[in-house]
Amino acid sequence: MDNLINGKEIALKLRNKLKEEISNLRKIYNQVPGLAVVQVGNIAASSVYVKAKTKNAKEVGIEVIDHHLNETVSEKNLLNLINDLNNDNKVNGILVQLPLPKHIQEKKILDSINPDKDADGFHPVNVGKLSIADNNDESLLIPCTPYGCLLMLKELNIDLVGKNALVIGRSNIVGKPMVQLLIKESCTVTIAHSKTKDIKNLCKSSDILIAA
């Protein structure tokens, strides 16, 4: 019989756990984590994502600092804002919603975020740490989508060691970090993409299949 992965139940359990942890932080330190969310422009999909992220963060007790900028904001002004947030002690995490307008270099903006405040885990330092750190390194900042996939896999209570895992997609946001996480679980990992031949048989021979 197939096991159904109930993402909503897993998310609820995670939110309740975080709510308790943040409540304890408030009691001990009289403060809570601060998350700065930066959105440039009014792309509909981005607005939906930002609204959902903000709602979930507030529900668990995180203080959200919204920065919604006009689409015409200059790259220099956006970098200045990131620098201010890097130096703001009330801000523990910075999340810049992608995509950014074409006149702004995404890599330049993401690289300007303090690696310790990189909520998305996209900074080169955190990408490198994910590749070389062991599973017990609590300082890892991991991109949320692949980490969510791993949490759901673990909810099945199956032994991942030695399983043949296929990740379809090689993006920096999902595919590549997903591969690193599965390697840390001692899976044997194959990554497929638009140029891969015979994906059908690769899928058939895989124990774990993740479309990224």
Side-chain angles (χ1 to χ4, degrees), residues 3 7 46 48 52 88 90 120 139 145 155 157 179 194 205:
N3 291 318
S46 292
V48 170
D88 187 343
K90 293 182 180 178
D120 274 321
S139 70
T145 300
E155 283 291 317
N157 292 317
V179 168
S194 60
S205 63

Side-chain angles (χ1 to χ4, degrees), residues 78-96:
L78 181 53
L79 286 169
N80 286 339
L81 172 61
I82 299 298
N83 184 59
D84 289 343
L85 297 174
N86 283 338
N87 293 303
D88 187 343
N89 291 332
K90 293 182 180 178
V91 174
N92 304 100
I94 302 170
L95 189 158
V96 177

Side-chain angles (χ1 to χ4, degrees), residues 121-183:
F122 295 160
H123 192 282
V125 169
N126 292 319
V127 173
K129 280 185 176 181
L130 182 60
S131 298
I132 62 176
D134 60 38
N135 283 347
N136 298 318
D137 189 343
E138 294 184 355
S139 70
L140 285 180
L141 294 174
I142 304 169
C144 59
T145 300
Y147 188 53
C149 289
L150 181 63
L151 291 179
M152 289 193 288
L153 272 177
K154 288 192 168 185
E155 283 291 317
L156 293 173
N157 292 317
I158 57 174
D159 186 7
L160 298 178
V161 175
K163 292 286 191 297
N164 290 318
L166 175 64
V167 177
I168 302 178
R170 53 181 170 179
S171 71
N172 292 332
I173 294 174
V174 183
K176 290 176 183 176
M178 189 76 249
V179 168
Q180 296 295 339
L181 290 174
L182 290 170
I183 288 173

Side-chain angles (χ1 to χ4, degrees), residues 10-125:
I10 296 168
L12 179 61
K13 186 166 69 174
L14 180 59
R15 281 199 297 271
N16 288 337
K17 180 174 180 288
L18 288 171
K19 191 181 294 185
E20 184 178 342
E21 289 179 0
I22 292 170
S23 176
N24 288 334
L25 286 175
R26 185 190 292 276
K27 291 174 184 175
I28 297 170
Y29 301 106
N30 196 32
Q31 63 183 46
V32 296
L35 174 67
V37 180
V38 181
Q39 181 183 356
V40 180
N42 293 292
I43 296 174
S46 292
S47 295
V48 170
Y49 287 135
V50 166
K51 185 178 180 181
K53 292 172 184 178
T54 299
K55 178 176 178 287
N56 284 315
K58 287 180 177 178
E59 280 183 0
V60 298
I62 293 172
E63 181 182 353
V64 178
I65 305 104
D66 279 314
H67 291 275
H68 194 164
L69 309 178
N70 193 289
E71 189 176 4
T72 59
V73 68
S74 69
E75 183 177 270
K76 181 181 178 182
N77 284 343
L78 181 53
L79 286 169
N80 286 339
L81 172 61
I82 299 298
N83 184 59
D84 289 343
L85 297 174
N86 283 338
N87 293 303
D88 187 343
N89 291 332
K90 293 182 180 178
V91 174
N92 304 100
I94 302 170
L95 189 158
V96 177
Q97 182 62 43
L98 302 179
L100 294 172
K102 291 182 179 179
H103 68 279
I104 296 176
Q105 299 177 62
E106 288 185 356
K107 185 178 184 302
K108 192 172 182 180
I109 299 302
L110 296 178
D111 288 359
S112 72
I113 297 172
N114 181 337
D116 292 332
K117 295 188 176 187
D118 173 29
D120 274 321
F122 295 160
H123 192 282
V125 169

